[in-house]
């Protein structure tokens, strides 16, 4: 007589049907969920910090942006936002301008942007916006030699400021200190817009970008423009940005720049800039003006009443 079948340690059919490797997948899913939660928490924390401490958050962002751009440049990567430099002639023709036409520049530190405008039909039109690879220091003007600050304010550049053999490929001197800077005892020299991606108080544009800017700058000065105006701002001068920095000791200085910014925004013509009582003074530029007037000490004349 046969006895009962011996019991074995074989897994049951239900256990055999269970998929193998489930535990690692569960662990991976839990890890992914945890990472998502951590990223959301980080994003919320950053957003709250930016709302509560906007100026400090902006300073951190500028540092990150500066490092990221320098890293890209070190590997020869074209910075995002760079125009198609190989198609300069086509881009000029598309906007109805040419090498030799007058130019005008604006620089915005926080946005890391340099705008180049060209004259057409008696006023300036924005031709290109170039990413700035690096500028040094904080938002705010240059005060003294060695502070590593890049200038802010209104400057003019003539042919004598150009250096085709610069250690930074090509460069032009902004003309710091101008009459305003001198009135406030500010010191420093050789504050440039140049190639490369290094800066001690300058605006570095990378070599390919400065080559295009150089062609347009030299063309304008050779074509009859005596000097061109450069307006340098800490940020785009809108009410939101000014309100964000209203508590800064520099707020009065930044607010004093806005009338010159607004005059150009409204007319497309560089304002007449002078220094009156240690403050910038602005008058509307005449229609068709290319901004060649130097920035000098002197108060603008009172406006002549319009004829009735």
């Amino acid at each position: 007589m046969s006895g009962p079948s011996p019991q074995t340690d074989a897994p049951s059919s239900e256990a055999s049907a269970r998929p193998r490797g489930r535990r690692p997948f569960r662990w991976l899913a839990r890890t992914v969920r945890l990472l998502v939660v951590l990223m959301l928490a980080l994003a919320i924390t950053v957003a709250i910090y930016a709302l509560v401490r906007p100026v400090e958050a902006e300073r951190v962002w500028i540092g990150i942006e500066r490092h990221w751009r320098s890293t890209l440049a070190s590997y020869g990567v074209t910075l995002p936002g760079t125009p198609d430099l190989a198609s300069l002639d086509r881009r000029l023709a598309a906007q109805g301008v040419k090498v030799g036409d007058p130019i005008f520049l604006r620089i915005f530190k926080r946005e890391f942007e340099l705008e180049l405008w060209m004259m057409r039909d008696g006023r300036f039109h924005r031709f290109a916006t170039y990413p700035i690879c690096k500028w040094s220091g904080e938002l705010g003007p240059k005060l003294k030699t060695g502070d590593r600050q890049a200038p802010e304010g209104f400057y003019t550049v003539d042919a004598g400021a150009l250096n085709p053999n610069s250690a930074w490929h090509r460069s032009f001197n902004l003309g710091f200190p101008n009459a305003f800077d001198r009135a406030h005892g500010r010191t420093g020299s050789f504050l440039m817009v140049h190639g490369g991606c290094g800066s001690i108080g300058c605006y570095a544009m990378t070599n390919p970008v400065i080559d295009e800017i150089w062609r347009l700058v030299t063309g304008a000065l050779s074509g009859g423009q005596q000097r061109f105006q450069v307006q340098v701002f800490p940020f785009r001068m809108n009410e939101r940005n000014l309100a964000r920095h209203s508590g800064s000791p520099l707020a009065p200085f930044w607010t004093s720049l806005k009338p010159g910014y607004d005059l150009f925004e409204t007319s497309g013509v560089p304002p007449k800039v002078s220094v009156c009582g240690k403050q910038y003074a602005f008058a509307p530029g005449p229609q068709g003006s290319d901004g060649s007037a130097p920035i000098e000490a002197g108060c603008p004349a009172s406006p002549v009443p319009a004829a009735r």
Side-chain angles (χ1 to χ4, degrees):
M1 175 184 289
S2 61
S5 355
Q7 294 192 2
T8 66
D9 292 330
S12 66
S13 59
E14 181 181 355
S16 301
R18 186 178 301 155
R20 296 180 182 271
R22 177 175 291 182
R23 286 185 179 178
F25 282 113
R26 285 179 177 174
W27 176 85
L28 180 60
R30 284 197 296 268
T31 302
V32 170
R33 285 197 294 270
L34 178 61
L35 288 174
V36 170
V37 170
L38 290 174
M39 290 175 66
L40 287 173
L42 178 61
I44 293 170
T45 302
V46 170
I48 293 173
Y49 181 69
L51 289 172
V52 176
R53 306 294 293 271
V55 175
E56 290 81 356
E58 181 179 69
R59 185 177 292 114
V60 172
W61 178 86
I62 287 172
I64 293 172
E65 188 76 13
R66 187 178 284 150
H67 177 74
W68 175 69
R69 289 168 183 254
S70 297
T71 301
L72 290 180
S74 69
Y75 286 98
V77 177
T78 300
L79 296 182
T82 301
D84 182 5
L85 303 176
S87 65
L88 174 59
D89 292 336
R90 178 181 58 79
R91 288 160 44 223
L92 288 166
Q95 294 200 33
V97 291
K98 64 184 184 305
V99 174
D101 288 342
I103 66 164
F104 164 86
L105 300 183
R106 290 199 305 189
I107 292 173
F108 299 98
K109 280 184 174 178
R110 182 183 179 274
E111 290 79 6
F112 284 80
E113 290 181 342
L114 182 151
E115 295 178 345
L116 189 146
W117 298 62
M118 300 187 73
M119 180 175 277
R120 185 181 73 241
D121 302 327
R123 57 179 294 168
F124 284 90
H125 303 264
R126 184 165 47 208
F127 171 70
T129 300
Y130 304 96
I132 298 172
C133 191
K134 191 172 185 180
W135 54 271
S136 63
E138 304 282 344
L139 297 183
K142 183 170 185 64
L143 301 179
K144 61 183 180 179
T145 302
D147 64 6
R148 303 179 68 90
Q149 284 290 107
E152 294 173 7
F154 294 79
Y155 299 90
T156 57
V157 177
D158 60 21
L162 306 183
N163 183 1
N165 301 310
S166 170
W168 290 101
H169 186 54
R170 290 190 170 107
S171 67
F172 58 84
N173 195 324
L174 283 172
F176 179 95
N178 64 9
F180 178 91
D181 301 317
R182 292 192 299 272
H184 289 265
R186 298 177 179 177
T187 59
S189 57
F190 304 111
L191 284 307
M192 310 280 188
V193 174
H194 59 61
C197 193
S199 171
I200 306 177
C202 298
Y203 294 96
M205 305 301 303
T206 76
N207 289 355
V209 168
I210 200 64
D211 279 339
E212 176 166 299
I213 294 173
W214 186 264
R215 183 178 173 190
L216 299 173
V217 163
T218 54
L221 294 175
S222 299
Q225 187 176 15
Q226 190 174 0
R227 59 181 65 84
F228 60 90
Q229 191 175 117
V230 184
Q231 299 182 357
V232 188
F233 302 107
F235 37 70
R236 294 197 175 272
M237 303 299 284
N238 55 48
E239 296 300 334
R240 179 180 178 183
N241 285 336
L242 287 169
R244 180 189 292 117
H245 294 274
S246 61
S248 169
L250 291 167
F253 168 69
W254 289 333
T255 302
S256 76
L257 304 180
K258 185 167 170 53
Y261 173 89
D262 289 341
L263 281 172
F264 180 77
E265 282 282 293
T266 301
S267 67
V269 176
K272 176 70 172 66
V273 184
S274 59
V275 179
C276 176
K278 298 179 71 172
Q279 297 296 321
Y280 279 118
F282 305 99
Q287 185 65 28
S289 169
D290 64 4
S292 285
I295 297 173
E296 299 174 331
C299 300
S302 299
V304 178
R308 293 183 179 276

